[in-house]
Structure formats: structure tokens, C-alpha cells
Amino acid sequence: MLVCMRRLAFFACAALLGCSPSALAPDAGPGDDAAADAARAPDTGLDAGPPPAPTSAEAPLTQWVDPFIGTGGVGYNDIGSTHPGPQWPFGMVRPGPDTANEAGEAAGYLHCSGYRAADEYVTGFSHTRMHGVGINDYGAVALMPTLGATVERTMPNGLLTHFDDATEHASPGRYEVTLDAAGGPIGMELTASPRVGFHRITFPSTGEAAIFVDLAHAHPGVEVRDASASFVPGASEIEGHVHFSGGYSDRFGGVDIHFVMRFDQAFLTSGAFEPGALHAGVATRALPTGGLYVTFAPGSVVRAAVAISFVDVAHARMNLDAEDHGLDFDAARADAVAEWERRLSVLELEGRSEIDFRLTYTALYHSLLMPTLATDVDGSYRGVDMAMHTATDFTYYTDFSLWDTYRTLHSLVSMIDPDTANDFVRSLVAMAEVYGSYPRWPLGTGETGGMLGDPAAIVVADSWARGVRDFDLAHAYELFLPEADGVIDARGGITSYLAQGWVSVESGGSSASCTMEYAYADSALASIARELGHADDATRFEARASSYLNLFDPSAGYFVARRADGTFMTVDPDNWDDGYAEGNARQYLWLAPQDLDGLASVFGGREGALARLTEFFEASAAERHTIFAPTYYWQGNEPDIHAPFLFSAWGDPDGSARWSRWALRTFYREGPAGLPGNDDSGTMSAWVVFTELGLYPLAGTDTLLVGSPLFTRATLHLPGGDLVIEAPDAWEPTLYVQRLMRDGVEIPRDRMTHASIATGATLHFDLAPQPAP
């Protein structure tokens, strides 16, 4: 979650709404655990009586996906930043509506995806956006249908159009809405292939049908610095480019998006526009404002296909020629829907609540939206060095929110789609080859340097551990060494980290968080070194993996930022300070999954660790949730999302069953505010998928910790064989694992290896309403 730059915006939000934080709180009073949890949890349709009979989630599985989940919210704990528009899994284009209020205003922190469920006005249908992030970027290449090509349409908010959300429908691969244009309704339907967005626009029989291509359109806070568009002679086409600079892309000078739009019929009239003027018959617009317009006869049904490329217009045209489906909208939509059905069918469910089917398949859907395809159909792509390259034996992706996604998303994709996971790793390696170090947050055609740590190391180690191995591990490892050993200054504060064993306060902000993230990444490098037979390197990195222990201040009882002279900063565990990135000392207390025995030692051993962890979660359950960041467990952000499963790691699977189910039921629900914060490119949604299956990955390792399965039966179709998870007694009160068997043989209730289920297995859970004796 990229919340640091938006912290003050939430305080401003409360002020604008005329509310105190407590007035915006959705739950019960402090300490009223049951009432608070009930107020936040979804209605699962289950009561205290006999359990309903299990039913199967019937095909088509796309019916269980609700793309509107996470499209709303007002605070840290429920702004999901998702969008309802269609896309291909991990696709390049994401066509969809960008929305605003009646005045055409769209607060940036509420519109990071361009869309907000509470809005009733559309400003345009753009083709580039990200999923679930907390930064404003993209929103380029937009078109907007309207009635009448008039000067009024060129003025500020001249294209702003109302819609009734009762006419808005979305499911995987499809979106539609009816616009309330002055003069009659305009029907808008969208679908997508990997690199092309498709539109079917149905105009009313009265009024001139018009479509404006607005070159200046972008998401709030994103500046279009250069743009051009031209009509293609002899064709019903427009081609051009947009150069935009947003909250992250501004760090490397912005991104160029090249596009070609193809229409299924000749234009009645056409021209260029700028604010306050139409220029009929003009074929080119080459400024960062205005654009082009076309008109058609009243009552027209216009089909358009819009292809993009990060390389150039010629490649955008190549993509369009390969994927335009002959401008057959229904055929393109059928392919998109079929592809999503195929992707979702990796998971078959049987359970007692249709709401749980919707939450799970929506989470799986959200887990397959980012990173972003950046390879054109001929293998060309523009790298983070801004140069053109060719991917000859892999597919190149961009938009990696690695500080977030390394914790859950990559483990899930590695399990269910190892080919794509392999492409992700190959993409990161390709970036390191040209950039000189691995990226932390590559966006489009550049590296933003966003967030902190060395998360690519954990992604590579985790992918290898889960069987993704069609890449050169030795080469990938060698590219890590210059940054890990401080030969280059890619890890901020690396000099003090190597010299002292911690990143000093003097080295920059978030020094405690940096130390803990580097220690985690070094553990991942140690595992890679061991795999490659580099014993000395493995020993060196293993020692560094415990560097986080140097930050433990016994007098405070927390990991605390430390000065170069060895003294600790003063810490207030209830509040953020400069030692931590997006969190406080309480939440960062658990960020050492690579060294759980070492972490337990600071509490006096496992019993002490479990007692401290229980105290943390009991305080979390009692905490009143508002629009502001929580003091205790923060499900909507990354540093502690693994914490419910640490109980199993320390030998208490009952604790993991209890608190993972509490987190699931407390923070996830149906509706626009149904996510606990930014989905962070699918990180939070992947957490849901794992938690509901009762297995949770320790990222960077082959370990799966055991929680509590939600479904009576789930089948995960892994490439090596089916993983069947049976829990016949599963329902809301029955969550504690009494016995766990794998293929008929009893195994420990707390953990297993990925290898033990990778080629298929049947896990049978005996569950009961009370902890195991």
C-alpha cells in the first residue's frame, strides 16, 4: 500500500466531510469485540443452528466474480482502488470508465484506478490504469461518446456525462453502462484482448453521434506533457501517442503510450479540437491539450478497437492487426470471457455459503490482473532503460509492486500458473541486466524506486522453491550481488547495514523497516546460494538474515530505529514515525518470517512469542476501526499480514485457525468497501485465496503454514496434480483443526512443504468448534 504520501489527504477527507474519525467508524464501541466483529464482517448466511448442506460453485465460474468489490471506501481500511473495467489476465490494456462527481472533481487518493463507485459521472473511457495501487498514474488514451460535436463539448467538463449505476454491469471480460447524454441514452460496452480494448457504442436515433479522443485525459494528478494524434488516410483509424507523468512515473520522466484506434465504419465528419474551438477537417493534433473528434449518423452502433504499445505506433498497429477480431465485438468478448473461465477453473469449490464463493472467486480474479503485459506480439518491448528489446523465449511484464506482491501474489501465481510466474522472474532479470540492479517498483518503461528493501530476491527464491525453474538461477543470483554487497548503491543505507549490522537513522528514513526488509532478502539470497552450492555466500547471507535482531530494544520491547553510534531512537508504538515505512513498531514487530526461532528468542522463547502475539491480536479485536490507520493488526497493509499464521509457525495451529478466520471475516466483505485497503496489485486478494484454503506461504521458502479451510471441499488444479482439500465439517463455528491427514497419513497440524503437495495430494481436515485437546 502506497499510503505515505496520502496520509494528510485522509485527515483532509475527514475535515471535508465534516466528521470526526469516530463518526466515520463503521463498527461498535471500544472493547465490544463481538459487536465490532459482527458489524464489520459479512453476512455469510450461516447461523448458530445446524450447518446448511454443502453445495458446489457451479459453472460458469465468472458468475461468482464481482468486479465492483473494492471500488469504493473512504479511508485507510477500505479504499481498495480496484476498477470494474474488463481486461485479459495480466493484460496490457485495461479499458474502463474514469469517473468524477457532478462538478467534474475526482480526489486523487480516491481515484488511483480512475474509478470510484460513489461517482455518478464519467469523464472518459481510458485504456491504461493499474489495479489496487495507492499512487496516481496512467489514465492515458481516452475516448468519450457524446451527442453533437459542438464547441461546448470542448470546454472544461464538456464531456462530463451522468450515468445511473443501475445500468452498470461488470463481470470478467465485460463491462457495460448507459450514459445519460443530453438528447438520449448512449449504450457503452467494453471488452479486451491482451493488447486491445474493444468498444461497442449504441447511439440514440436522435442527435448526431460523436466520439471525442481526448489527448489530455489522464487520472487525477497525472500530467499529459506531450501528445499527438492523426487520422490515417484512407482508413477509419486514428493513431498517435501520449506522454504522461504521474505520481511514480514522474520519477523517471514519464511514460510514452502509443496507440491505434480502428472503427468499423467511415466517419461522417471529423476534425481536431482544442479548449473552446473545433477545427473541422483538420487531420492532426499535436499538443498536450485537445484531440480529435469523429461523427456518425444518428442511431449508429459503432464498434472500435484500441491497441496500445510501449514501443511505437507501428507496434501498436501490429498488436491491433493481430488481435482486432475483425472488429467483431461479440467474438472478442466471448474470447475474453472464455479465457477468464479457464483461469478461474483452476479452483473448484464446495461450501455452505454463496457469499464465500463470490468473495473467493473475486479474490482469485483480482489476483490475476497485475503485473502488466508489456510485450508486443512480435516480442518487442521497451525496457526500464527506455530502449527497445526483444523477448525471444519469454514474455516481458512491467508494473511490479514488489514490496507488496512478494508476500502472497507470487507464491499463488507460482503454484497455479508457473509459466507466467517464470515470465515474471525473467522480466525482473531482464530489468536488472539493463538497469544495473533489480527494481523495486518498475512502472511502464522505468524504475520508480518506490518503497524499500530488496523484494526481487524474495520473489526469485520463492519462485524457485515452488518449482518455477525455467530460468538461469546462477545468472539471476550474480545480478543480486553488487547491490547486496554494496558495490553499487541500490540498497539505500547499505553501507551502514554492512558496517554496523543495521541501517542507521542517519542513512535516511524508514531505517528500521529497511533493516528488517534487507535481513529478509538476505535470507532469500542465502537459500539461492545454498541451491547453487555457494557455501561461503550462504553462510554470509544467513548471518545477515538475523541483522534485524540488532534493532531490538529490550527496554521498549520493540524493534526500534538505531543511530550510527548504537543508541536507539525513542519509539511510540501507537504511532508512525520516521523509522518505519507505512506502519508502527507494533506492526513491524513480526516482520522476520525468515528467522522465526530468532524472533521468538526476543520474547524468551516460543511460549513468550505466542503470548505476545495473542496480546497483539486481542488488542486488535478490541480496537475501534475508523478511516485512519489501525494501531494494531493492519490487514490492509503488508508488514504484518502474515502474523495470523505465526501461531502455527510457533506450534499453535489453533491460534492461526482462530485469528486468520477473524481477520478474514472482519476485513473482507461484499460491496465497494469490501477490501481492507488498497488491494496492492492483488496482494490482499491472494491473501484471501490462501487463507480460505487453510494454507499460507512463508514467502521465499517452500513452507506452507496451516490455518483453517473455509470450504467443505476445494480442488486446486496444480500443474503437477490436483490438490484436494477436504474439510467436511467446515462452517462458521467449526474452524479448529483436530487432525490433518495427507493421502490418508496423519501429519502435523501446523505446517507442510510445498514439495509435499506439488504433484497432487488430498489433505483431509477434521474440524471442530473448539481447539484441539
Side-chain angles (χ1 to χ4, degrees), residues 473-525:
L473 183 65
H475 177 57
Y477 175 73
E478 290 297 323
L479 291 170
F480 279 112
L481 294 179
E483 57 188 289
D485 289 335
V487 176
I488 58 175
D489 190 20
R491 286 190 183 185
I494 185 64
T495 300
S496 66
Y497 177 76
L498 295 178
Q500 298 162 314
W502 66 86
V503 177
S504 66
V505 172
E506 293 86 348
S507 297
S510 304
S511 60
S513 297
C514 283
T515 301
M516 302 186 82
E517 291 284 357
Y518 292 163
Y520 196 172
D522 285 342
S523 175
L525 291 178

Side-chain angles (χ1 to χ4, degrees), residues 71-108:
T71 57
V74 295
Y76 275 119
N77 298 298
D78 56 13
I79 294 180
S81 290
T82 68
H83 66 96
Q87 71 164 85
W88 199 264
F90 305 117
M92 183 182 292
V93 294
R94 299 184 175 97
D98 296 330
T99 63
N101 64 16
E102 186 175 6
E105 300 166 337

